[in-house]
Every structure is written in structure tokens, then in C-alpha cells.
Amino acid sequence: SAVISQKPSRDICQRGTSLTIQCQVDSQVTMMFWYRQQPGQSLTLIATANQGSEATYESGFVIDKFPISRPNLTFSTLTVSNMSPEDSSIYLCSVEPRTGGTEAFFGQGTRLTVV
Amino acid sequence: GIQVEQSPPDLILQEGANSTLRCNFSDSVNNLQWFHQNPWGQLINLFYIPSGTKQNGRLSATTVATERYSLLYISSSQTTDSGVYFCAVNNRGSTLGRLYFGRGTQLTVWP
């Protein structure tokens, strides 16, 4: 298994500002994933973060809006830039501790409200 | 990507009742997981079950990979079982670890 610490757990932000969410894992992992869950909706993948290379973004998500860093094998950040109320969501990071189709684990999530 | 359909979308039970949640998926999978999302938004891993049957206390799950569905059974439900239950899969050809989620089943258990 993996223990994932995600910070902050919640925040209320003014529109036009940016928020950086941190995800720390207790073991080295190859892939880290960032998901968004809009109110009342399911989880949607934003991007896949590989160490040492640019993140891979899903359709509808762009680097300018959601820049991601992955400086090492245990840490990643997601920034939500120039926020609007439509960005109010839960943001979750996820890891798969080992390759080969094994179990994925999630951080506790960041509940973001933009006012 | 792979399609994941969950049913029912909503389920209301009285404490002590049993329930079955279903997850259908459109392609072969190498990972299938069931999660419970608590009111604070945290996803709790319930089962990693790409095939076969597993049990954990009052919960059990069965995945029939050849027929592309999975079932989550909750017996003797308790109010603390309330929340959203998600099924998520990873199919062959997708990035390992990347999950596709269903829309979830909102379970409400009344005392």
C-alpha cells in the first residue's frame, strides 16, 4: 500500500488567484495522477505526472491552467491558476505503488471553494 | 476510453438491510477497484478485484471479467455505510494506474 499526504485539505480562495496543492508519498512511485471532482460528479483525470518529464494532460485540461511539478519520485504539486468559481471542486492525487496493474491509492483530497 | 456504468444511481435503505451495487464496463480490464467516498471527500479503498470474489466483513465483491461486470454486496447496512460508492477500472492499453470512474451510487442508510 501507500500513504499519501495531500495539503491543504481545504481552502477558500478569491477569484483570480492561484492555489498550489501538494502531494507527498511515503515511497517512490513512477506515476502520480491528479483528478478533479466537480460538485456532485465523478472523478475526471487532469494529468499524469512523470518524474523528469512534462506532465501529460487529458483533453480539456491545459498546462497554463493546471501546471504540475514532479521534482522527485515521492512528491508532486498541482497549481490551479487564475481561479474562477467553476474551479470549485475536490482535487485528488493518486499513485500506483508498483507497475503491473496493481491497486491505486488516493490522497485525502483538497476541497477548493472559489468565491 | 473505457466506459463504466454504475447502478443504481441512488439507493435508500433502512439500517440492517442488504444491498447490491453493480458496475458494468465496456472493455477488458487489468484493474478494477471499489471505493467509498466519505462526506469529507476522501476515497477509501474497499476492494481491488479485477476478477474473482473477495470478502471483508460485511462487504463482499465479485467481478466476472469475461462478462464485464462487478458487484458490490453490503450486508446488514449501517448508517456509517452512507456515502458514494465508486467503481473504477484500468483497461489494457491505458497508462497503468490511470483509472476510469463510474458516476457512482449514492447510498443513504436510515436508522
Side-chain angles (χ1 to χ4, degrees), chain B residues 13 23 26 38 43 81-82 93 96 110:
Chain B
L13 301 173
C23 172
S26 62
N38 65 23
L43 282 177
D81 295 331
S82 296
L96 290 175
W110 293 95

Side-chain angles (χ1 to χ4, degrees), chain B residues 66-108:
Chain B
T66 54
E67 298 187 21
R68 300 181 182 173
Y69 74 89
S70 183
L71 302 174
L72 176 68
Y73 305 97
I74 304 174
S75 64
S76 303
S77 58
Q78 302 176 358
T79 56
T80 52
D81 295 331
S82 296
V84 183
Y85 289 80
F86 286 106
C87 169
V89 304
N90 174 273
N91 63 319
R92 303 183 194 284
S94 291
T95 301
L96 290 175
R98 186 240 198 273
L99 291 177
Y100 294 87
F101 282 78
R103 292 180 175 268
T105 292
Q106 173 76 58
L107 175 64
T108 304

Side-chain angles (χ1 to χ4, degrees), chain A residues 35 37 42 58 101 103-104, chain B residues 33 37 45 48 98-99 101-102:
Chain A
Y35 291 83
Q37 185 181 25
S42 186
E58 297 293 302
E103 188 172 3
Chain B
Q33 293 182 238
Q37 188 169 40
N45 288 41
Y48 165 70
R98 186 240 198 273
L99 291 177
F101 282 78

Side-chain angles (χ1 to χ4, degrees), chain A:
Chain A
S1 66
V3 178
I4 305 168
S5 175
Q6 190 173 335
K7 296 179 182 179
S9 58
R10 59 174 58 233
D11 208 341
I12 301 173
C13 299
Q14 296 290 325
R15 66 178 68 202
T17 62
S18 298
L19 176 72
T20 296
I21 302 167
Q22 299 180 3
C23 184
Q24 178 77 52
V25 190
D26 68 342
S27 58
Q28 293 184 343
V29 296
T30 304
M31 300 285 197
M32 296 180 76
F33 303 88
W34 288 97
Y35 291 83
R36 180 178 75 179
Q37 185 181 25
Q38 294 178 300
Q41 302 297 312
S42 186
L43 281 76
T44 301
L45 182 67
I46 298 172
T48 301
N50 298 322
Q51 192 268 336
S53 63
E54 292 287 331
T56 302
Y57 289 82
E58 297 293 302
S59 176
F61 297 96
V62 296
I63 188 171
D64 289 346
K65 177 67 176 178
F66 299 100
I68 288 172
S69 76
R70 182 78 199 275
N72 57 53
L73 291 174
T74 64
F75 187 78
S76 178
T77 66
L78 169 75
T79 298
V80 186
S81 303
N82 189 24
M83 289 183 286
S84 67
E86 291 71 33
D87 294 319
S88 297
S89 298
I90 299 174
Y91 293 85
L92 300 103
C93 68
S94 170
V95 305
E96 184 192 59
R98 296 174 295 167
T99 59
T102 55
E103 188 172 3
F105 294 86
F106 284 77
Q108 60 265 55
T110 296
R111 187 181 293 270
L112 171 62
T113 302
V114 183
V115 297

